[in-house]
Amino acid sequence: MDKVAIAGYGITKFTKDDSKIESVLLNSSRNLFRNSPNLTQKDIDAVLVSSNNNSKYLSAILSEISGIQPKIAHTVESLCNSGTNSIVAGYSYIASGLADCVLVSGAERYDSPGQILEWDKFRGEFKHPIFWASIFSKAYKQKYSIKDEDLALVSVKNHKQSINNPNALSQKEYSISDVLNSKKLTDDLRLLDCSRPCTGGASILLTSEEVCKNFTDSPVWITGIGQKTTSASFTKNLTFDNMESTKNAAIRALQMSKHSVADVDVMELHDAFSVCEPMALDSLGMTQEGKGMDMVKEVYETENTKINPRGGIIGSGHPLGATGIAQTIEITQQLQSVAGKRQVDNAKIGLVHNMSAASTSSTVLVLEN
Amino acid sequence: MNFESELKKGNLVISECIDCKKITWPPSEFCNQCLKETSWRKCSDLGKIIEFSKQNDIYFGIIQFENSIRIMGKIISGNPEVGKTVQVVECGVSDSEYVLKMKVVEE
Ligand SMILES: [Zn+2]
């Protein structure tokens, strides 16, 4: 199996702009070409688009407007982890020898249809993501004696970290009391505990080992992949205080990379809501079950930004199809030591955790420099 | 007969495999274990609160019926606690959304 490198990337600012999905795709792809001076359109033999937008054949459209005639072109959609799913698809094309150079581009609009799941009728009148998040928060708080003000720290930390991310939707700091006093959506969720849908794009260039040196002197390698889908319906989660699909995906991603969780220097976690961050830390095995919040507190107090350095999803915004790619770009920049003010010292091994549909599906990637 | 047409009439039904007897949820004409056909039968109107929260003055939660199927709905009376029994007081379809209202059965 061929090794697969991340050999380039481009990203747009995350906004509330009313832009066409095609323009968002093109903008991050143009940035990728700008960042990769030796790359030309004819080098690319696959174009994969990640989006929940209900448009047809976006990969053919992106190829056309960016002057690419790829061998392989199609969309990958799997809600909020479409981005990492498209990276895994690109990886597979390269590892199998079907392609050498894959452009993976994710984009979403602020009004994405991916936020409401028509299939999941047994959420009844409680279809909006704030309801599953409330159930998760309630269950997690109850099981581990955690308070609202504890969970609020996730939002405080990630908003603070997003200040150093020029592409983030949020550029504002908040205090614990700001979070607690923000609009009460349910008894277990405040507005500032939530990530916000937005318009944004992120593109990544995946290549084989042989081809990567044409485009970069500092490739980052995808050395571990784990994925698991347990169901499509939220209520089929067996428990609501941890993420079963994440546990499963993490074990296999780490196994494949031949590392243990303790080796991970920097990570992007899928903090769609405050509770998701400590829960993901537990489920990834970064901490003992129920101790995720202690780890969040510790990194916050020691000003260690290794958890969600770009501000996570809460700080950066959540353009669904672009999120997993944006997370992967952040870890790539960290491992290349080009993350500027967000840089985590001496980062060699990074992890991406991207999930969808109330954690019924998760992807975990391990990256190394 | 199907799940939604019965729910519209106020009946909560579940799909049980004619061969292996497993319950398939979400409801389906075919068993997701052995892929044979299912038949419809009435579901117990007593469920157990798995988890709940509250929006404004309305409690909502995940309720488990017959130790297997789980639905989100409103708990309109009583003091909900995890593990407590609830009884369906109303179910139906409104604006193409499934509606389930329950009350806590105090022991
Ligand atoms: Zn069967």
Side-chain angles (χ1 to χ4, degrees), chain B residues 10-21:
Chain B
N11 301 325
L12 187 60
V13 297
I14 52 184
S15 48
E16 192 175 71
C17 182
I18 54 168
D19 191 58
C20 79
K21 303 294 173 199

Side-chain angles (χ1 to χ4, degrees), chain A residues 9-17 31 35 158-172 196 198-201 268 308-312 315-317 326 329-330 333-334 338-343:
Chain A
Y9 46 78
I11 193 162
T12 72
K13 186 166 169 51
F14 292 179
T15 66
K16 285 283 182 184
D17 292 351
N31 288 338
N35 296 338
N158 291 348
H159 277 108
K160 185 179 175 198
Q161 287 171 188
S162 70
I163 303 269
N164 288 325
N165 174 3
N167 296 314
L169 179 64
S170 168
Q171 299 289 341
K172 212 176 148 192
R196 289 182 293 161
C198 62
T199 302
E268 278 289 322
N308 283 329
R310 70 182 181 120
S316 302
I329 292 173
E330 176 65 18
Q333 292 183 316
Q334 292 285 344
V338 296
K341 285 182 180 169
R342 305 187 308 282
Q343 186 62 46

Side-chain angles (χ1 to χ4, degrees), chain A residues 17-67:
Chain A
D17 292 351
D18 187 17
S19 313
K20 281 185 163 173
I21 195 76
E22 295 83 357
S23 312
V24 183
L25 282 169
L26 182 58
N27 283 339
S28 73
S29 303
R30 287 174 63 225
N31 288 338
L32 184 149
F33 276 101
R34 193 176 308 141
N35 296 338
S36 315
N38 295 335
L39 178 72
T40 66
Q41 286 96 328
K42 64 178 188 326
D43 294 317
I44 295 174
D45 43 17
V47 174
L48 304 183
V49 163
S50 160
S51 183
N52 291 251
N53 193 284
N54 286 341
S55 301
K56 298 187 182 77
Y57 77 147
L58 283 172
S59 55
I61 295 170
L62 173 61
S63 299
E64 182 169 272
I65 59 183
S66 57

Side-chain angles (χ1 to χ4, degrees), chain A residues 278-289:
Chain A
M279 214 188 263
L281 288 166
D282 293 1
S283 299
L284 290 164
M286 294 286 169
T287 56
Q288 286 179 294
E289 301 248 312

Side-chain angles (χ1 to χ4, degrees), chain A residues 333 354 366:
Chain A
Q333 292 183 316
N354 187 200
V366 178

Side-chain angles (χ1 to χ4, degrees), chain A residues 332-340 343-344 346-347 369:
Chain A
T332 301
Q333 292 183 316
Q334 292 285 344
L335 300 179
Q336 292 174 329
S337 294
V338 296
Q343 186 62 46
V344 172
N346 207 18
N369 60 16

Side-chain angles (χ1 to χ4, degrees), chain B residues 19-30:
Chain B
D19 191 58
C20 79
K21 303 294 173 199
K22 293 249 167 57
I23 294 169
T24 290
W25 193 259
S28 168
E29 289 167 67
F30 300 99

